[in-house]
Every structure is written in structure tokens, then in C-alpha cells.
Amino acid sequence: RGIILKQLRRLGASCDWDRTAFTMDETRSKSVIKVFVDLYNKGLIYRSLRMVNWDPERQTALSDEEVIYKEEHSKLYYMKYYVDEPAGCTDGEEEGAIVICNNDKEFDPTVKCQVIHRDAQGRRYAVVATTRPETIMGDVAMCINPKDPKNTWLRGKKVIVPKVGRVIPVIEDRYVEIEFGTGCLKVTPAHDVNDYMLGQKYNLEAIDVFNPDATLSEAAGMYVGMDRFECRKQIALDLETEGLLEKQEDYDNKVGYSERTNVPIEPRLSLQWFISMQHFADIALPPVMNDEIKFYPAKYKSTYRNWLENIKDWCISRQLWWGHRIPAYFLPGQEGVKDEDRKYVVAPTAEEALAKAQAIDPSIKSVDELIQDEGALDTWFSSWLWPISLFDGIEHPDNDEIKYYYPTSDLVTGPDIIFFWVARMIMAGYEYMGNMPFKHVYFTGIVRDKLGRK
């Protein structure tokens, strides 16, 4: 903080230095907690078991805006999923099918008839292409597109997960891309956002094969304790040794990285706190589109609009030991209850939480029996209140200072935080003050090196 303030003075900024404040000082902290409780009471904050972006190094959830996607040179691994049937079976085969024996033909995804793989013993198998073979221990289904002629012979069948030995069903859904790979998709609901949606749709089990630090967990049943990328190398070698890897080929794809730690994120099923964002998008989009709030350069209006029109709910909880602690208190005596089913109350103080808890269970006698959520709030949950909380406008909305200074005139900032901060300050402004937080937003350039890095 001291360095930043000295930089501003060196640049000649004539700020009112007596007004310097910190998002975790007493006034700002009370404002943050009050807003959390208010939004929870309005039904806009909820707690849910959902797929989140997980940072294995910090071991915390991230919002979508904290994930940076980078082009990577990866590999596609083509694995054999044997059909659970006797050798030599021809059930479901149609005349004119292409039968590939011992991988004697290069697979052509554009063919318009059945494509059936057989090994030397006459056993049929499907081929699945994936960039993440280390997740096969969590496979619970294979999915094909019902319109894909190559794979109609797999309808109603069951297949065996390579190396794992688990027998899983073949399901059908139009989500699967016919032209990608072989048209067969492994479904791992605990480790992919789209697989999770398929899992919900078809009531599939979710098997989490990773620990919070992205090493293999006991649930994987093999490679336990191994790092995810080391496991990827080892499992590819083992599959090849056991004749279960058809081939591997180079493949370019985008991989999500944590903005803060620069490690690849893991999609992870986790119990977190979220804000329903559609309400906020509805109130924050029109003022910018109508030029009530003016952007300079104006081209950033389209960036802003695109994000708000495709808004996702904001994951606001973090598994970190700094930040504002979540004001949720769990009731005692819930041993053995699933985490998502535990009873809790939300209140600005422990004493108010006790009163609410006693209304549910009169046997509770003291705050010491309540267990406060150990999570902290995303740092932007305090920052989005800044134009209001700086003048104590959340706790005392009619004080002379907030009435005099709000709305402010200009915001000067970088375009890299248009979602993190600019949009959210506009949302909070209309929600709590009924007005814009500033009239103009000027986006500066960002100093970058020759590779384009900040």
C-alpha cells in the first residue's frame, strides 16, 4: 500500500490523502458483511455444490474471470474401451460397416456408416480420444451422438474403462461432436463442466479422483498420491504396454490457468457460495449502452455488453485465510449430515446468529456452539462497494459526505479489470444507491513486454 501511495504522489496526483482507506478496516468490513447478509436475505446469495474453477496450488475456488486461457501444445490419447460382450459378437452391426482389425486402417471421422474396431481375438471396442487420460478412473459412462452413423452399433451396450476395469453404460446425447475424435466421449462428471451437466441430466455418479492439491486420491484406486501430470505420463505408458492405447497424436488446445498462481486450474465439484448475477446484469447493462456512463475508448462497450449478456453466477467464496470471513454459522449436532444439507444461519454478528439459531433450536445456549464458515470472500466482493463504502454509504446511506460526493465523476483504470471491478462497481451502485458510481470510465493502456505480457 505504501509503495502505491508514494507512486501516486511521485506522479503528481493531488489526492485527499486523509481519506486513505483499506478494504479491511472497520468501516469497510462492516459494509461488506452488511451487503452479504442483505443479498442473502434477498435470495441473491446461495450455497451450492457446483462445478468450480479450482486452484490446486492455493487450494481455493476461483471465479471465471480469474482463469486465463492459454494455447498449449498437448496430445490426444486414443484409448480402447472394450465392449462388455463375448468375443466374436456381431450384435447391432449393419451390412456395409467398416471393420478395422488390429488398427489396420487410419480412422476417418467423416465416414457415413458404422465403424467397428476388433482386436486379434475378435473382441470389439470403441476408441475414445482425450487430452486427460489421468481422469479415466472417474469415468462413469461413454456418450455418443444419436445422429452419428459411425457409432450406432454401440447403442444400449456397456463398455469397460481401460485399465480400471469398470463396466459403464453407453448413453446418447446430441451434445457430443460427431466430427471430434471418434465421436465417442468419456464422461467424467467430477472433472469437467460439460460432463457434470451430462451427469446431472442422466443421473450419473460423480467420482472425484483428485485431492485438493491435484494429486490422485484414494477414490482413484491407483496412482494414489501421484501428481496429475506425472500420472498422465505414467498412465499413457501403462496403457500402451497393456495394448489399450490405440495411438497418440499432437493436438493444440486451450488450457485454463489461475491468474494468481499461473498453474493449470482443475474443474472441481465443490460446495461454495454464489451470487445470482442475472439481476445485476439487468441493472448494469442499460446505463453503459445508453451512454449515461461513458466509456473511453467507446470500443469497450462491446466487451462490457458481451460479458453481461453471457453472465454466469459469481463464485464469491475462497478457501483462504485472509479476506472477510463469510458470516454464516452452522448449527451444532449435525455430525454425519452431508455438508450441503447442514443447517446454518446468516447474520452480521455472532450474537445475532445465536438469536437466529435459537429460533431453530432452543437448546443452543451460546455462540461457542456455533461453527462459523471458515471461507473468506473474494477480494472483489469488497472492492465493488468502493465508491459507496469509502464514504460510509452502506452503513449510513444518508450521511452528508455520500450525498455530496456520490456519484463521482471519473474512473481511470485498466481494461483488464473491466469485469472484476468496473462492471461490479456499476452493479453495486445501482443496487445500493439507485445511481451510477461514476459518469466516465477512462481505460488506460497497459505496459507490456515484447511478448505481450503485462
Side-chain angles (χ1 to χ4, degrees), residues 332-350:
Q334 300 190 74
E335 294 77 9
V337 178
K338 283 184 179 178
D339 276 352
E340 57 264 40
D341 296 330
R342 291 169 69 194
K343 292 179 183 176
Y344 61 88
V345 294
V346 170
T349 66

PDB file of all heavy atoms in Angstrom, residues 332-350:
ATOM      1  N   PRO A 332     -24.920 -26.642  15.766  1.00  0.00           N
ATOM      2  CA  PRO A 332     -24.222 -27.829  16.305  1.00  0.00           C
ATOM      3  C   PRO A 332     -25.059 -29.093  16.120  1.00  0.00           C
ATOM      4  O   PRO A 332     -26.238 -29.040  15.742  1.00  0.00           O
ATOM      5  CB  PRO A 332     -24.060 -27.482  17.783  1.00  0.00           C
ATOM      6  CG  PRO A 332     -25.212 -26.577  18.095  1.00  0.00           C
ATOM      7  CD  PRO A 332     -25.438 -25.763  16.843  1.00  0.00           C
ATOM      8  N   GLY A 333     -24.424 -30.242  16.411  1.00  0.00           N
ATOM      9  CA  GLY A 333     -25.146 -31.510  16.406  1.00  0.00           C
ATOM     10  C   GLY A 333     -25.529 -32.015  15.038  1.00  0.00           C
ATOM     11  O   GLY A 333     -26.593 -32.610  14.869  1.00  0.00           O
ATOM     12  N   GLN A 334     -24.674 -31.784  14.032  1.00  0.00           N
ATOM     13  CA  GLN A 334     -25.004 -32.242  12.679  1.00  0.00           C
ATOM     14  C   GLN A 334     -23.970 -33.230  12.146  1.00  0.00           C
ATOM     15  O   GLN A 334     -23.733 -33.311  10.948  1.00  0.00           O
ATOM     16  CB  GLN A 334     -25.119 -31.042  11.735  1.00  0.00           C
ATOM     17  CG  GLN A 334     -26.192 -30.043  12.136  1.00  0.00           C
ATOM     18  CD  GLN A 334     -26.438 -29.008  11.060  1.00  0.00           C
ATOM     19  OE1 GLN A 334     -27.044 -29.293  10.022  1.00  0.00           O
ATOM     20  NE2 GLN A 334     -25.971 -27.791  11.289  1.00  0.00           N
ATOM     21  N   GLU A 335     -23.366 -33.982  13.078  1.00  0.00           N
ATOM     22  CA  GLU A 335     -22.390 -34.993  12.680  1.00  0.00           C
ATOM     23  C   GLU A 335     -23.068 -36.032  11.780  1.00  0.00           C
ATOM     24  O   GLU A 335     -24.172 -36.493  12.060  1.00  0.00           O
ATOM     25  CB  GLU A 335     -21.789 -35.684  13.912  1.00  0.00           C
ATOM     26  CG  GLU A 335     -20.957 -34.776  14.797  1.00  0.00           C
ATOM     27  CD  GLU A 335     -21.782 -33.855  15.687  1.00  0.00           C
ATOM     28  OE1 GLU A 335     -23.013 -34.049  15.746  1.00  0.00           O
ATOM     29  OE2 GLU A 335     -21.197 -32.946  16.303  1.00  0.00           O
ATOM     30  N   GLY A 336     -22.375 -36.377  10.683  1.00  0.00           N
ATOM     31  CA  GLY A 336     -22.918 -37.382   9.770  1.00  0.00           C
ATOM     32  C   GLY A 336     -23.839 -36.815   8.707  1.00  0.00           C
ATOM     33  O   GLY A 336     -24.216 -37.524   7.766  1.00  0.00           O
ATOM     34  N   VAL A 337     -24.213 -35.534   8.837  1.00  0.00           N
ATOM     35  CA  VAL A 337     -25.072 -34.889   7.832  1.00  0.00           C
ATOM     36  C   VAL A 337     -24.206 -34.438   6.660  1.00  0.00           C
ATOM     37  O   VAL A 337     -23.097 -33.928   6.862  1.00  0.00           O
ATOM     38  CB  VAL A 337     -25.825 -33.680   8.435  1.00  0.00           C
ATOM     39  CG1 VAL A 337     -26.670 -32.974   7.375  1.00  0.00           C
ATOM     40  CG2 VAL A 337     -26.684 -34.128   9.608  1.00  0.00           C
ATOM     41  N   LYS A 338     -24.685 -34.639   5.430  1.00  0.00           N
ATOM     42  CA  LYS A 338     -23.938 -34.174   4.266  1.00  0.00           C
ATOM     43  C   LYS A 338     -23.698 -32.676   4.380  1.00  0.00           C
ATOM     44  O   LYS A 338     -24.567 -31.933   4.826  1.00  0.00           O
ATOM     45  CB  LYS A 338     -24.726 -34.439   2.979  1.00  0.00           C
ATOM     46  CG  LYS A 338     -24.705 -35.876   2.512  1.00  0.00           C
ATOM     47  CD  LYS A 338     -25.428 -35.974   1.174  1.00  0.00           C
ATOM     48  CE  LYS A 338     -25.417 -37.396   0.648  1.00  0.00           C
ATOM     49  NZ  LYS A 338     -26.164 -37.491  -0.638  1.00  0.00           N
ATOM     50  N   ASP A 339     -22.519 -32.230   3.919  1.00  0.00           N
ATOM     51  CA  ASP A 339     -22.167 -30.809   4.016  1.00  0.00           C
ATOM     52  C   ASP A 339     -23.234 -29.913   3.402  1.00  0.00           C
ATOM     53  O   ASP A 339     -23.579 -28.873   3.953  1.00  0.00           O
ATOM     54  CB  ASP A 339     -20.825 -30.545   3.323  1.00  0.00           C
ATOM     55  CG  ASP A 339     -19.656 -30.854   4.240  1.00  0.00           C
ATOM     56  OD1 ASP A 339     -19.902 -31.114   5.429  1.00  0.00           O
ATOM     57  OD2 ASP A 339     -18.512 -30.836   3.775  1.00  0.00           O
ATOM     58  N   GLU A 340     -23.750 -30.325   2.241  1.00  0.00           N
ATOM     59  CA  GLU A 340     -24.729 -29.471   1.562  1.00  0.00           C
ATOM     60  C   GLU A 340     -26.083 -29.418   2.276  1.00  0.00           C
ATOM     61  O   GLU A 340     -26.918 -28.561   1.978  1.00  0.00           O
ATOM     62  CB  GLU A 340     -24.915 -29.900   0.096  1.00  0.00           C
ATOM     63  CG  GLU A 340     -25.333 -31.344  -0.102  1.00  0.00           C
ATOM     64  CD  GLU A 340     -24.166 -32.269  -0.373  1.00  0.00           C
ATOM     65  OE1 GLU A 340     -23.097 -32.104   0.260  1.00  0.00           O
ATOM     66  OE2 GLU A 340     -24.332 -33.175  -1.224  1.00  0.00           O
ATOM     67  N   ASP A 341     -26.300 -30.346   3.222  1.00  0.00           N
ATOM     68  CA  ASP A 341     -27.579 -30.385   3.942  1.00  0.00           C
ATOM     69  C   ASP A 341     -27.486 -29.795   5.351  1.00  0.00           C
ATOM     70  O   ASP A 341     -28.480 -29.770   6.086  1.00  0.00           O
ATOM     71  CB  ASP A 341     -28.081 -31.840   4.040  1.00  0.00           C
ATOM     72  CG  ASP A 341     -28.399 -32.436   2.673  1.00  0.00           C
ATOM     73  OD1 ASP A 341     -28.792 -31.651   1.781  1.00  0.00           O
ATOM     74  OD2 ASP A 341     -28.248 -33.658   2.503  1.00  0.00           O
ATOM     75  N   ARG A 342     -26.313 -29.323   5.755  1.00  0.00           N
ATOM     76  CA  ARG A 342     -26.155 -28.777   7.117  1.00  0.00           C
ATOM     77  C   ARG A 342     -26.960 -27.487   7.287  1.00  0.00           C
ATOM     78  O   ARG A 342     -27.004 -26.645   6.398  1.00  0.00           O
ATOM     79  CB  ARG A 342     -24.679 -28.493   7.406  1.00  0.00           C
ATOM     80  CG  ARG A 342     -23.822 -29.737   7.541  1.00  0.00           C
ATOM     81  CD  ARG A 342     -22.348 -29.384   7.562  1.00  0.00           C
ATOM     82  NE  ARG A 342     -21.973 -28.678   8.780  1.00  0.00           N
ATOM     83  CZ  ARG A 342     -20.823 -28.040   8.921  1.00  0.00           C
ATOM     84  NH1 ARG A 342     -19.956 -27.979   7.914  1.00  0.00           N
ATOM     85  NH2 ARG A 342     -20.529 -27.423  10.043  1.00  0.00           N
ATOM     86  N   LYS A 343     -27.607 -27.351   8.441  1.00  0.00           N
ATOM     87  CA  LYS A 343     -28.389 -26.151   8.731  1.00  0.00           C
ATOM     88  C   LYS A 343     -27.462 -25.027   9.175  1.00  0.00           C
ATOM     89  O   LYS A 343     -26.492 -25.256   9.905  1.00  0.00           O
ATOM     90  CB  LYS A 343     -29.413 -26.440   9.834  1.00  0.00           C
ATOM     91  CG  LYS A 343     -30.519 -27.400   9.410  1.00  0.00           C
ATOM     92  CD  LYS A 343     -31.468 -27.660  10.561  1.00  0.00           C
ATOM     93  CE  LYS A 343     -32.545 -28.672  10.175  1.00  0.00           C
ATOM     94  NZ  LYS A 343     -33.418 -28.995  11.324  1.00  0.00           N
ATOM     95  N   TYR A 344     -27.774 -23.819   8.738  1.00  0.00           N
ATOM     96  CA  TYR A 344     -26.951 -22.668   9.106  1.00  0.00           C
ATOM     97  C   TYR A 344     -27.822 -21.419   9.152  1.00  0.00           C
ATOM     98  O   TYR A 344     -28.966 -21.401   8.666  1.00  0.00           O
ATOM     99  CB  TYR A 344     -25.811 -22.467   8.103  1.00  0.00           C
ATOM    100  CG  TYR A 344     -26.262 -22.189   6.695  1.00  0.00           C
ATOM    101  CD1 TYR A 344     -26.527 -20.886   6.262  1.00  0.00           C
ATOM    102  CD2 TYR A 344     -26.437 -23.235   5.779  1.00  0.00           C
ATOM    103  CE1 TYR A 344     -26.951 -20.624   4.973  1.00  0.00           C
ATOM    104  CE2 TYR A 344     -26.863 -22.982   4.488  1.00  0.00           C
ATOM    105  CZ  TYR A 344     -27.120 -21.679   4.089  1.00  0.00           C
ATOM    106  OH  TYR A 344     -27.556 -21.424   2.815  1.00  0.00           O
ATOM    107  N   VAL A 345     -27.283 -20.373   9.746  1.00  0.00           N
ATOM    108  CA  VAL A 345     -27.934 -19.065   9.742  1.00  0.00           C
ATOM    109  C   VAL A 345     -26.928 -18.048   9.228  1.00  0.00           C
ATOM    110  O   VAL A 345     -25.715 -18.248   9.342  1.00  0.00           O
ATOM    111  CB  VAL A 345     -28.444 -18.650  11.143  1.00  0.00           C
ATOM    112  CG1 VAL A 345     -29.565 -19.575  11.600  1.00  0.00           C
ATOM    113  CG2 VAL A 345     -27.305 -18.633  12.159  1.00  0.00           C
ATOM    114  N   VAL A 346     -27.416 -16.967   8.651  1.00  0.00           N
ATOM    115  CA  VAL A 346     -26.561 -15.881   8.159  1.00  0.00           C
ATOM    116  C   VAL A 346     -26.904 -14.632   8.951  1.00  0.00           C
ATOM    117  O   VAL A 346     -28.066 -14.246   9.059  1.00  0.00           O
ATOM    118  CB  VAL A 346     -26.779 -15.652   6.653  1.00  0.00           C
ATOM    119  CG1 VAL A 346     -26.081 -14.375   6.189  1.00  0.00           C
ATOM    120  CG2 VAL A 346     -26.261 -16.852   5.851  1.00  0.00           C
ATOM    121  N   ALA A 347     -25.873 -14.011   9.536  1.00  0.00           N
ATOM    122  CA  ALA A 347     -26.099 -12.821  10.368  1.00  0.00           C
ATOM    123  C   ALA A 347     -24.818 -11.999  10.416  1.00  0.00           C
ATOM    124  O   ALA A 347     -23.715 -12.544  10.278  1.00  0.00           O
ATOM    125  CB  ALA A 347     -26.515 -13.219  11.780  1.00  0.00           C
ATOM    126  N   PRO A 348     -24.934 -10.670  10.635  1.00  0.00           N
ATOM    127  CA  PRO A 348     -23.737  -9.818  10.648  1.00  0.00           C
ATOM    128  C   PRO A 348     -22.821 -10.036  11.845  1.00  0.00           C
ATOM    129  O   PRO A 348     -21.627  -9.759  11.774  1.00  0.00           O
ATOM    130  CB  PRO A 348     -24.307  -8.396  10.638  1.00  0.00           C
ATOM    131  CG  PRO A 348     -25.722  -8.521  11.079  1.00  0.00           C
ATOM    132  CD  PRO A 348     -26.172  -9.877  10.692  1.00  0.00           C
ATOM    133  N   THR A 349     -23.345 -10.531  12.966  1.00  0.00           N
ATOM    134  CA  THR A 349     -22.512 -10.795  14.149  1.00  0.00           C
ATOM    135  C   THR A 349     -22.857 -12.157  14.723  1.00  0.00           C
ATOM    136  O   THR A 349     -23.943 -12.710  14.456  1.00  0.00           O
ATOM    137  CB  THR A 349     -22.746  -9.739  15.248  1.00  0.00           C
ATOM    138  OG1 THR A 349     -24.098  -9.871  15.729  1.00  0.00           O
ATOM    139  CG2 THR A 349     -22.518  -8.322  14.717  1.00  0.00           C
ATOM    140  N   ALA A 350     -21.941 -12.675  15.547  1.00  0.00           N
ATOM    141  CA  ALA A 350     -22.162 -13.973  16.182  1.00  0.00           C
ATOM    142  C   ALA A 350     -23.366 -13.926  17.122  1.00  0.00           C
ATOM    143  O   ALA A 350     -24.123 -14.901  17.224  1.00  0.00           O
ATOM    144  CB  ALA A 350     -20.911 -14.401  16.937  1.00  0.00           C
TER     145      ALA A 350
END
